[in-house]
Amino acid sequence: MVVFFLSFCNINSVYLSNQDKLLFMSFFLSALIAGACFLLLYIILLNVKKVNVIANKWFAGFIFCLLVLTSVTILIESKTISESSIIVDGLSVFIFLISPFFYFSITYFIKPTTNWKHLNHLHFWLSYFYLFLFILSLFLDENPKVEDVSQNTVDVANYILASIVSIQVFTYCFLSYKKIVEHQKNILLYRSTTENIDLGWLKKISLAVIIMGFFFATDLLFQLSEKFILFDIFTNFLYLITIMYITFFWLKQEEIYPYSIAEKNEIISIIEESNLVEDKKKKLISDENLDTIKSELLKLMEIEKPFLDSDLNLVKLANKMNLSSHLLSYAINNGFDENFFQFINRYRIEEAKKLILNPKMNYLSLLGIGFEVGFNSKTV
């Protein structure tokens, strides 16, 4: 595509002015963004791995909003429709939908058992309000005249709209980013490794969306794309790179909670309880029973060494001990003053120290020893 574009500009350098070349470049990048969004939307809806199904449906909604808004831009730039067209006015509702869709995708990635509540409609009140005003405008004046509205009124309305959109984008990006950070802390309660499930890719995407939102809001407030074509080209290029970035990481995602519904509910309850203040946490078992579970757990760790399994999680270990995940988590947290991640990896480190001192293991590098004791990546 890039070669094609450069070739096109070179061949037509005699016929196109520099300004026309820049306009074409902007249009070309918009078309690439729309194509990338369409392809990503198709991949997400196909979801060959069938992972994080509900979350990915919301994520598909987020990408669909991007696709619609980019397509509208292309139609306007190609003069297929007017910027004041009723179609543009109607599709502008997607500006208010894009942030909530992204927020709910992250909500369901983090907590797939979330039940939809009527109060959740409040996240879409701006889009509902905009649709109401749009439909109302169709009935109030069947033949509106542009000259009846002063330019000052239009500028003020656009500024208010841009401000509202900017606040919404930054608010939802902040809330989404905060949810991911909390999730990264919570997975230490039930996983011994965090690779592929820590939503690091979504965390980076949130930062990318914040950057996109900043340029989008700046453009809305000050109409920079209309005044400076280079700004328009830069933002389009940024959006294209972001879509490619999203596509790359989306394809690498794994199931965040590869458990049964009952096990998912247990894990969610563990997370919710861990976020309670100390005074409100319940005592699940007596001190005597806690000591018994601790002894059995220590015996299991020494004899069977389940920590050597690089994919060990709380559910697996609880099944080995014929306990509920909730009860085992309680025993580790209160019996050893550690979370699951710390408890398991402490054993892995101790085992690694033994292997390092063992002359028979000299053929292994430190990385090899790490893999031997249950760590599953060079980064860890």
Side-chain angles (χ1 to χ4, degrees):
M1 282 295 190
V2 174
V3 173
F4 165 76
F5 171 71
L6 293 174
S7 301
F8 178 88
C9 288
N10 185 49
I11 293 170
N12 293 278
S13 58
V14 179
Y15 307 102
L16 294 176
S17 66
N18 289 332
Q19 183 67 15
D20 288 337
K21 288 178 184 177
L22 291 174
L23 288 171
F24 174 77
M25 187 174 188
S26 175
F27 179 82
F28 182 76
L29 286 172
S30 295
L32 282 180
I33 294 169
C37 285
F38 181 81
L39 179 60
L40 178 55
L41 180 63
Y42 173 75
I43 293 172
I44 293 173
L45 291 176
L46 195 61
N47 197 358
V48 177
K49 293 182 180 179
K50 302 300 177 188
V51 294
N52 310 310
V53 176
I54 299 177
N56 277 309
K57 286 180 180 178
W58 281 100
F59 199 70
F62 165 68
I63 298 300
F64 180 72
C65 291
L66 282 176
L67 174 60
V68 170
L69 294 175
T70 306
S71 300
V72 169
T73 301
I74 292 172
L75 292 173
I76 293 172
E77 289 179 351
S78 63
K79 302 190 185 307
T80 304
I81 58 176
S82 168
E83 194 169 353
S84 58
S85 166
I86 190 173
I87 297 175
V88 175
D89 290 340
L91 293 179
S92 293
V93 69
F94 284 94
I95 294 175
F96 300 105
L97 289 171
I98 190 168
S99 297
F101 268 109
F102 182 68
Y103 173 77
F104 276 106
S105 71
I106 289 180
T107 298
Y108 280 94
F109 270 116
I110 291 170
K111 189 179 177 182
T113 57
T114 300
N115 293 318
W116 180 263
K117 299 176 182 177
H118 292 301
L119 284 176
N120 289 337
H121 284 287
L122 292 176
H123 290 276
F124 298 92
W125 76 270
L126 279 174
S127 55
Y128 296 153
F129 183 63
Y130 179 87
L131 277 177
F132 169 76
L133 292 179
F134 172 70
I135 295 171
L136 187 63
S137 68
L138 298 179
F139 290 98
L140 287 179
D141 193 349
E142 295 181 359
N143 300 296
K145 297 179 181 179
V146 177
E147 58 267 23
D148 291 341
V149 182
S150 68
Q151 185 60 44
N152 184 56
T153 302
V154 173
D155 291 341
V156 171
N158 284 336
Y159 188 82
I160 293 173
L161 174 65
S163 300
I164 292 172
V165 172
S166 302
I167 292 171
Q168 186 194 41
V169 168
F170 288 125
T171 299
Y172 278 98
C173 283
F174 171 75
L175 292 175
S176 300
Y177 188 84
K178 183 181 177 185
K179 274 182 173 286
I180 295 171
V181 171
E182 290 173 351
H183 168 75
Q184 291 177 327
K185 293 178 182 178
N186 291 332
I187 57 178
L188 303 181
L189 298 171
Y190 63 92
R191 293 281 301 212
S192 62
T193 57
T194 61
E195 287 78 11
N196 301 322
I197 64 161
D198 66 350
L199 294 181
W201 61 284
L202 265 182
K203 185 178 180 181
K204 294 173 184 175
I205 288 170
S206 295
L207 291 173
V209 171
I210 291 174
I211 295 171
M212 288 173 63
F214 172 78
F215 284 102
F216 179 70
T218 303
D219 190 18
L220 278 177
L221 288 169
F222 304 106
Q223 300 296 304
L224 294 178
S225 291
E226 294 183 10
K227 298 175 183 177
F228 308 102
I229 186 64
L230 288 176
F231 179 85
D232 189 40
I233 291 172
F234 171 75
T235 52
N236 280 343
F237 183 73
L238 178 69
Y239 300 157
L240 177 61
I241 294 298
T242 302
I243 295 300
M244 294 168 65
Y245 181 86
I246 291 172
T247 305
F248 173 77
F249 281 103
W250 189 93
L251 291 171
K252 295 179 69 175
Q253 71 170 293
E254 301 290 340
E255 180 68 47
I256 309 302
Y257 295 93
Y259 313 115
S260 67
I261 294 176
E263 289 169 341
K264 284 181 183 178
N265 287 329
E266 273 201 50
I267 289 171
I268 297 300
S269 66
I270 290 170
I271 292 171
E272 290 175 346
E273 186 173 320
S274 70
N275 292 326
L276 295 174
V277 295
E278 202 63 38
D279 293 341
K280 293 187 177 181
K281 291 182 180 179
K282 297 179 181 178
K283 186 173 182 177
L284 298 183
I285 52 176
S286 65
D287 292 338
E288 184 179 340
N289 287 335
L290 177 61
D291 289 336
T292 301
I293 293 175
K294 280 179 61 179
S295 298
E296 292 176 357
L297 179 57
L298 289 171
K299 185 178 179 181
L300 177 71
M301 297 297 285
E302 290 296 332
I303 297 174
E304 296 189 23
K305 298 186 176 181
F307 54 85
L308 297 179
D309 177 5
S310 62
D311 197 39
L312 183 67
N313 56 56
L314 183 67
V315 174
K316 278 187 179 181
L317 189 59
N319 289 337
K320 283 181 176 291
M321 296 190 65
N322 294 319
L323 292 173
S324 70
S325 301
H326 201 168
L327 198 57
L328 178 58
S329 176
Y330 177 87
I332 293 173
N333 294 341
N334 292 275
F336 299 94
D337 198 26
E338 294 175 313
N339 58 38
F340 181 77
F341 181 88
Q342 293 167 332
F343 178 75
I344 297 300
N345 285 302
R346 175 165 57 82
Y347 271 91
R348 287 173 177 166
I349 291 170
E350 291 302 320
E351 185 70 14
K353 286 157 71 174
K354 293 177 185 177
L355 294 185
I356 289 171
L357 296 174
N358 187 346
K360 294 181 180 180
M361 293 295 172
N362 284 343
Y363 67 93
L364 287 175
S365 64
L366 287 178
L367 180 60
I369 288 175
F371 288 138
E372 281 288 319
V373 300
F375 292 113
N376 65 354
S377 75
K378 185 176 181 179
T379 305
V380 178

